[in-house]
């Protein structure tokens, strides 16, 4: 069995893509693409899943070498085609590539294997710019397989250009893909159109109402906005369709701000600004936050607890709660000598905050004595002046 070489082949980012055009060639290429997509479906690989994956150029080169290694080994290839899944155990044993890497790029690897394993997909194979140890090659046939019909597949060399061999064998993802210059393509039949690729330029694999799926010359699967003039099998380009991944930083910042805002609000809401003691025949304690809401309410007596069960008041405005406690106390004979004392500690209440309570004590002739953090708050006098 051939020894696996991690850096034997690599995609070339510098060379122009060779794209044969013409009605006959376009039709043949379109049929090959449709057959590839149907074959990928048998392996449960869809274009919409491939475009979500974004392996770096180094990761794609490793995936490429794995794919070509598999297509050149009859035993592994047959197992793959029979089981319709990657033989991870065999790959781990023969290539020493980690299981996590193979599983992470499962769909990409399957797509490359499907494209390279069948000589029939030559027009798609030829679009990919691949170097072998620094020499540019066009994949006409990617493996040697001895079968009953004695198909002899070869890899032939078309062009030669020297490129520095990749020395870094780590599989860390690097997001350093270059954006290449754009050139024009010829529209004349039976002419080889040589164009320099741009970031989102490639062979059109599928077209929807608003989008196109591309295969670039460096082995990327991309989803871009639809170019009206492009169809399946032709060369097209467009602006990349934004996905959730493109907004992950703004979304993360937004979520952090929301969490921070909620945390600050929660802290402020639970902060005790004032404590109010209502001295009816059963004393009631209220803790009030900076927003004027009752966040704690308590009475130590049975009658007081019964009152609170009736009145409620938690998370309600303390003016309304105080009014309701006074009303319950009056209705149930809990006002000692027609006068109720209220003691406030912490931040004093501000003028105008006891409007409902004030109206109630005036209408029901209840004398309310308020010690407002050390200062007497003459609510009865204030309300009488306002009503006069």
């Amino acid at each position: 069995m051939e020894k696996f070489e991690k850096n034997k082949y690599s995609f070339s980012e510098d060379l122009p893509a060779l794209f044969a055009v013409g009605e006959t060639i376009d039709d043949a290429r379109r049929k090959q693409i449709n057959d590839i997509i149907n074959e990928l479906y048998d392996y449960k690989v869809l274009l919409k899943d491939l475009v979500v994956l974004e392996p770096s150029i180094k990761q794609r080169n490793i995936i490429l070498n794995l794919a070509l290694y598999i297509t050149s080994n009859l035993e592994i290839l047959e197992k793959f085609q029979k089981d319709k899944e990657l033989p991870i155990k065999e790959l781990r044993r023969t290539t020493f590539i980690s299981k996590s890497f193979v599983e992470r790029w499962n769909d990409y690897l399957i797509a490359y294997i499907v494209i390279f394993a069948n000589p029939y997909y030559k027009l798609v194979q030829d679009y990919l710019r691949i170097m072998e140890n620094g020499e540019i090659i066009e994949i006409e046939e990617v493996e040697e397989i001895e079968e009953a019909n004695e198909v002899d597949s070869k890899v032939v060399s078309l062009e030669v250009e020297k490129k520095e061999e990749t020395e870094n064998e780590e599989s860390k993802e690097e997001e350093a893909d270059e954006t290449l210059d754009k050139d024009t393509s010829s529209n004349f039949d039976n002419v080889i159109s040589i164009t320099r690729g741009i970031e989102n330029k490639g062979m059109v694999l599928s077209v929807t109402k608003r989008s196109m799926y591309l295969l670039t010359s460096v082995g990327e699967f991309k989803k871009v906005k639809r170019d009206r003039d492009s169809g399946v099998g032709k060369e097209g380009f467009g602006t990349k369709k934004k996905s959730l991944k493109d907004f992950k930083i703004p979304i993360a910042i937004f979520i952090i701000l929301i969490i921070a805002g909620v945390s600050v609000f929660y802290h402020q809401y639970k902060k005790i600004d004032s404590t109010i003691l209502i001295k009816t025949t059963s004393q009631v304690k209220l803790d009030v936050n900076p927003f004027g809401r009752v966040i704690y309410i308590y009475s130590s007596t049975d009658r007081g607890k019964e009152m609170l069960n009736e009145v409620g008041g938690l998370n309600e405005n303390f003016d309304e709660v105080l009014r309701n406690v006074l009303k319950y106390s009056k209705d149930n004979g809990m006002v000692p000598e027609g006068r109720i004392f209220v003691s406030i500690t912490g931040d004093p209440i501000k003028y105008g905050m006891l409007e409902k309570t004030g109206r109630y004590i005036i209408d029901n002739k209840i004398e309310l004595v308020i010690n407002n953090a050390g200062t007497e708050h003459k609510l009865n006098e204030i309300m009488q002046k306002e009503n006069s």
Side-chain angles (χ1 to χ4, degrees), residues 27 70 87 165 187 209 234-235 254 316 343 367 373:
D27 288 342
I70 292 171
E165 181 178 357
N187 292 319
K209 186 176 180 180
K234 294 184 177 181
E235 193 172 36
F254 178 74
E316 295 180 9
S343 176
E367 184 180 355

Side-chain angles (χ1 to χ4, degrees), residues 2 55-56 106 122 141-142 167 192-193 207 221 244 249 253 262 274 279 308 322 325 349 368 378 386:
E2 181 184 352
S56 67
N106 176 83
K122 183 180 186 303
E141 296 172 333
V142 296
E167 295 180 353
I192 297 296
S193 174
V207 177
F221 292 93
L244 186 61
I249 294 179
I253 294 174
V262 170
S274 305
K279 299 177 182 179
L308 296 183
L322 179 56
V325 170
I349 60 173
L368 188 65
K378 300 179 180 181
E386 291 184 353

Side-chain angles (χ1 to χ4, degrees), residues 27 33 115 178 223 281 337 367-368:
D27 288 342
I33 290 172
I115 291 172
E178 298 178 3
K223 182 179 181 181
T281 55
E337 301 177 356
E367 184 180 355
L368 188 65

